Amino acid sequence: MTQYAIADIGSNTIVLLVYEMVEHYPTAILHISTPAHLIDYVDRDRIMSKEGIHKATEVLQSYADKLDEMQVQYRFADITEPCRIQNKEELVASLQTTGWDIYPLSGNEEALYDFLGTKYSYPNLTNGIAFDVGGGSTELISFKNGQPIDAMSFPLGCVRLRHLPIDTPECEREILSARREYPSLNISCEELIGIGGTMRAAGKVYQALFHEELTIEVTKLQEIFDKLCMHDPAFEAAMKANVDPSRQPVFLPGLHMILEIARIYHAKRILISKTGIREGFLQIRLEENKLM
């Protein structure tokens, strides 16, 4: 069966996934995640240091070597927030030396691919709001009749939030600004769709504590946040047992953003999507290359 590789170059991690299409559904047969924290190599002038560029290139080359061993022909790499920098061309040129097809994504493209990927998990989506709290940015998507209406991104994610006070008002300001700019986002929504690694990590901790899957009650998620802020031993143990060590320092900031989104949207529940940007990105690449 033909295999397809996706490298997702994000602010916090660089992820390799190898998929096979099983009955038109992308099924992962390999998953490797490498903590890179690329956003920490970007200065205030939005320039990534040579050390950061080298680190990203080194990880991507290691993935290429792995794919050579597996004889995987089709390889597509997306770059999200780490490529929204002044020296973007320098970063892309370095990454291209590894033999990958490189696709820098705008914030709106990232949000759109998030939504397309989510439809693999929830094919019957009708009307509502989806979100993805990433390392360097957060995406908000409104959809109606199963189609995206607005897909936008703002540059505030869990890695950046780590450097701010845990009760920072920056989350609220960005969400309210997005709702003003995009009228379709300015609604109430009792049930949200949560996408991405921050949401899935929250879901694992939630499941360990409350033994419930996929659907998260916002009041219970708030309890997790409050208990972690108070350094409750049982809740800290659950977080450490279920969240990858590289993600633990940014877990609480990411949870704060999720809860701010839920509060502003008056949401009572969050549905966790098992699929997202990578699957959406793969879908578009397969269609473009007539591989579907």
Side-chain angles (χ1 to χ4, degrees):
M1 186 175 289
T2 305
Q3 297 173 345
Y4 309 94
I6 295 293
D8 181 17
I9 305 169
S11 299
N12 196 41
T13 58
I14 302 176
V15 177
L16 171 66
L17 282 152
V18 178
Y19 294 96
E20 292 178 349
M21 297 300 291
V22 180
E23 296 182 354
H24 304 290
Y25 188 94
T27 302
I29 62 168
L30 177 70
H31 180 284
I32 300 174
S33 181
T34 303
H37 310 293
L38 294 181
I39 204 69
D40 290 337
Y41 294 95
V42 179
D43 65 21
R44 291 183 178 181
D45 295 323
R46 303 295 297 152
I47 296 174
M48 183 179 289
S49 68
K50 293 191 181 300
E51 184 183 1
I53 292 173
H54 175 73
K55 188 168 192 176
T57 305
E58 188 176 49
V59 173
L60 210 57
Q61 183 61 61
S62 72
Y63 288 169
D65 294 342
K66 178 66 176 179
L67 297 177
D68 287 344
E69 294 175 11
M70 298 173 64
Q71 298 183 324
V72 178
Q73 177 182 356
Y74 299 105
R75 309 173 185 189
F76 310 103
D78 72 78
I79 319 174
T80 54
E81 181 67 19
C83 206
R84 297 163 200 162
I85 53 176
Q86 293 296 326
N87 56 335
K88 167 182 170 179
E89 291 77 12
E90 181 184 359
L91 172 60
V92 171
S94 181
L95 295 174
Q96 285 175 333
T97 64
T98 65
W100 286 82
D101 288 336
I102 307 296
Y103 293 82
L105 303 184
S106 69
N108 288 5
E109 286 175 321
E110 182 179 0
L112 178 60
Y113 290 153
D114 259 331
F115 179 76
L116 293 176
T118 297
K119 294 194 76 171
Y120 283 111
S121 292
Y122 296 102
N124 299 317
L125 284 177
T126 52
N127 306 330
I129 299 290
F131 68 87
D132 182 352
V133 178
S137 64
T138 294
E139 284 67 53
L140 294 174
I141 308 107
S142 59
F143 53 94
K144 187 174 183 179
N145 299 323
Q147 297 300 318
I149 303 301
D150 285 309
M152 65 82 61
S153 175
F154 54 82
L156 188 64
C158 58
V159 176
R160 285 202 171 104
L161 286 169
R162 180 185 61 182
H163 302 294
L164 298 174
I166 194 61
D167 60 348
T168 177
E170 286 296 318
C171 298
E172 179 183 36
R173 279 201 285 264
E174 290 286 0
I175 298 163
L176 293 178
S177 175
R179 284 161 61 91
R180 285 192 297 269
E181 186 175 354
Y182 298 90
S184 69
L185 292 172
N186 194 16
I187 62 173
S188 293
C189 196
E190 191 168 289
E191 194 169 78
L192 300 169
I193 307 291
I195 311 167
T198 303
M199 190 71 247
R200 287 193 294 270
K204 289 178 181 178
V205 177
Y206 185 96
Q207 182 183 355
L209 290 165
F210 298 111
H211 311 291
E212 300 169 5
E213 295 185 42
L214 292 182
T215 302
I216 284 183
E217 298 294 331
V218 172
T219 54
K220 293 180 180 178
L221 194 63
Q222 183 69 56
E223 181 183 354
I224 292 174
F225 179 81
D226 293 340
K227 293 286 189 181
L228 288 175
C229 286
M230 293 186 292
H231 303 288
D232 182 284
F235 282 74
E236 286 196 331
M239 189 273 287
K240 290 176 181 177
N242 291 280
V243 177
D244 187 273
S246 68
R247 189 180 287 278
Q248 289 178 17
V250 299
F251 179 75
L252 205 53
L255 198 52
H256 173 60
M257 176 66 86
I258 291 171
L259 287 166
E260 284 294 273
I261 292 170
R263 180 182 64 82
I264 290 170
Y265 278 96
H266 304 289
K268 295 181 180 178
R269 295 176 300 278
I270 302 173
L271 302 181
I272 302 176
S273 178
K274 293 183 178 180
T275 49
I277 182 174
R278 298 155 195 163
E279 290 78 14
F281 176 69
L282 175 63
Q283 176 186 325
I284 297 300
R285 299 288 79 80
L286 296 184
E287 289 174 355
E288 282 183 348
N289 290 277
K290 297 180 172 57
L291 297 171
M292 293 188 75

